[in-house]
Amino acid sequence: MTAGEPGAVQDGSSKGGLRAALGGLTTRGRSFLAAGVAAAVCAYVLGQGDLLRVGLLLAVLPLVCVVVLYRTRYRVTGTRRLSPSRVPAGAEARVHLRMDNVSRLPTGLLMLQDRVPYVLGPRPRFVLDRVEAGGRREVSYRVRSDLRGRYPLGPLQLRLNDPFGMCELTRSFSAYDTLVVVPRTVPLPPLRLAGEASGYGDGRQRSLALAGEDDIIPRGYRHGDDLRRVHWRSTARYGELMVRREEQPQRARCTVLLDTRQVAYAGAGPDSAFEWAVSGAASALVHMLERGFAVRLLTDDGNAVPGEGSDGFAGSTQKSADSAGLMLDTLAVVGHSDGGGLSRAHDVLRGSNEGLLIAFFGDLDEEQTSVAARMRQRAGAGVAFVLDSARWTGDSSPAGQAAAGRAEERLRQLREAGWTAVPVPPGAELPALWQLAGQLRADAESAGNGGPTGFPGGWS
């Protein structure tokens, strides 16, 4: 038998030959072999010829099944297809398996088994009846995980049995696929966008690159250009037809900052504060991409996704779906960092032209609160969702109450630095907090405390 995926073939010789086939004896086969040997020994001791013949028959039968099964050569190919290959936590994906018999001989009874991690559910097994020459069989199963991550599926295995159930041989396919379980995302309410550049969102304001018409930088005429854009002064200067450059609207930027410091979170599991922060960051970046922003994902250790191009933002040169997929794949496997500070993330923020900064913070001590306050100076607007581990773990001890008091002080310091800081209680829904943050910013601006941004309305 030959089992393999297209371009990957394995046969019995790769498994150690006939000795490995003998290791495939089932409990029934081993029992027959042991009974036959025992009967032959007793027949020799007692001098019983009939018993010797019975013993030889019992011992030879499983050996004959091993040889016949080992020398049986089927050429079987298999393919696996995931639908879809990326799912949010808690959602199901379907795995489609297809087996093709590409040999000229029909197969016997086959057992098909796929290897899956235990978090995706029980290992699927299928029994395939006789597959005719050139025939095909298709089966499928479902997988589901409440934990985000990247999970390998495979390799696929085939088990071949003889008609008497004496021997069972396993052949493995060589390839496997990967299921990506991304964090859950929730739709967020659309609020008025702040700091959007021309051409996007609600604040569509046109601006030229330079102040006056005489300062416009022209370019050479191209076939199809509107003749009304010809810049005659430059044409006379350069001796060739020159046209004015079109206005290039800039896409508003948004940085989603995720605090992954291990010291900033307590607890574990799908309902922990860290998993809430990861899910919140995923929902925010998807929402901002849908709103037309150029978005990047930034972690406390200074790693930015996607990080390509001169500005490191995604959305302006890539499709939003591809950009979101890249960042969600990163969030699917993000874990706690060993770093204890936010200084690396602060260094990545280059200046006040970073646009909107949305941060998901864990516990902040006095030093990290100071670093976060300086981050706000490098963004056009900032909103921070702050998770207090003492509240999330339900710590009602005096130490927990003292930690809660310090968390309130940190919120006050962030607000004084210009952040729209929102505390996140256990089990809170992000859409409600999102709406609350927008209302807080609108109230602050109406009171004249909107900070140096000068953006009208809400922040998102």
Side-chain angles (χ1 to χ4, degrees), residues 90-111:
E92 290 185 344
R94 182 168 290 274
V95 183
H96 301 269
L97 303 176
R98 193 182 76 180
M99 303 299 302
D100 294 276
N101 182 13
V102 297
S103 66
R104 298 181 179 180
L105 298 176
T107 69
L109 187 67
L110 300 176
M111 176 180 289

Side-chain angles (χ1 to χ4, degrees), residues 69-400:
L69 192 62
Y70 170 72
R71 295 187 62 84
T72 300
R73 299 288 176 176
Y74 300 134
R75 296 185 63 244
V76 180
T77 63
T79 57
R80 181 190 298 103
R81 179 172 58 87
L82 301 180
S83 178
S85 60
R86 181 192 293 120
V87 295
E92 290 185 344
R94 182 168 290 274
V95 183
H96 301 269
L97 303 176
R98 193 182 76 180
M99 303 299 302
D100 294 276
N101 182 13
V102 297
S103 66
R104 298 181 179 180
L105 298 176
T107 69
L109 187 67
L110 300 176
M111 176 180 289
L112 186 64
Q113 177 178 279
D114 205 7
R115 290 185 178 180
V116 299
Y118 72 95
V119 296
L120 298 182
R123 180 170 296 183
R125 294 182 175 89
F126 305 93
V127 177
L128 304 180
D129 203 353
R130 179 179 180 272
V131 182
E132 65 279 4
R136 174 187 300 173
R137 297 290 185 272
E138 295 185 3
V139 294
S140 65
Y141 63 94
R142 293 179 296 180
V143 291
R144 178 181 179 274
S145 174
D146 291 328
L147 301 176
R148 57 185 176 83
R150 295 173 61 91
Y151 301 102
L153 300 179
L156 196 61
Q157 291 182 332
L158 278 179
R159 292 185 179 180
L160 181 64
N161 297 325
D162 67 281
F164 299 100
M166 299 289 181
C167 183
E168 180 181 86
L169 297 183
T170 301
R171 298 291 182 262
S172 295
F173 293 75
S174 59
Y176 65 91
D177 293 281
T178 302
L179 175 68
V180 181
V181 180
V182 301
R184 295 185 183 94
T185 59
V186 294
L188 301 179
L191 306 177
R192 185 175 181 180
L193 298 173
E196 295 181 68
S198 56
Y200 297 93
D202 302 324
R204 303 170 185 245
Q205 299 176 354
R206 294 285 181 177
S207 61
L208 295 176
L210 299 176
E213 181 178 341
D214 292 338
D215 296 325
I216 294 177
I217 301 176
R219 62 169 174 82
Y221 175 82
R222 298 172 185 171
H223 179 72
D225 284 340
D226 190 350
L227 292 177
R228 290 175 296 182
R229 292 173 44 220
V230 173
H231 193 255
W232 297 108
R233 182 176 301 178
S234 299
T235 299
R237 178 184 305 172
Y238 294 103
E240 60 177 321
L241 204 58
M242 306 292 290
V243 297
R244 297 182 180 89
R245 293 181 184 269
E246 293 179 343
E247 298 176 15
Q248 298 295 331
Q250 294 181 340
R251 185 181 296 266
R253 293 178 174 181
C254 174
T255 298
V256 178
L257 172 62
L258 175 62
D259 181 8
T260 64
R261 296 172 299 129
Q262 189 170 11
V263 297
Y265 300 93
D271 298 328
S272 64
F274 179 67
E275 292 301 323
W276 191 99
V278 173
S279 178
S283 302
L285 66 88
V286 170
H287 174 76
M288 301 311 292
L289 280 171
E290 292 175 348
R291 297 287 286 173
F293 277 70
V295 182
R296 69 174 172 182
L297 173 67
L298 179 64
T299 58
D300 58 285
D301 54 9
N303 292 327
V305 180
E308 299 177 356
S310 59
D311 58 0
F313 287 81
S316 59
T317 59
Q318 306 178 33
K319 294 182 179 178
S320 295
D322 296 337
S323 304
L326 179 61
M327 287 180 277
L328 288 177
D329 288 347
T330 302
L331 289 176
V333 296
V334 69
H336 288 295
S337 67
D338 297 330
L342 302 170
S343 58
R344 293 183 180 178
H346 171 269
D347 294 339
V348 175
L349 300 175
R350 294 169 296 183
S352 59
N353 61 343
E354 292 296 326
L356 178 63
L357 177 59
I358 304 175
F360 293 84
F361 291 125
D363 291 334
L364 297 173
D365 56 20
E366 184 176 357
E367 179 182 358
Q368 302 312 314
T369 303
S370 177
V371 176
R374 294 197 301 270
M375 287 183 182
R376 172 60 186 84
Q377 300 173 1
R378 297 195 171 190
V383 59
F385 297 95
V386 184
L387 295 87
D388 179 15
S389 295
R391 298 184 62 185
W392 277 80
T393 56
D395 187 1
S396 57
S397 63

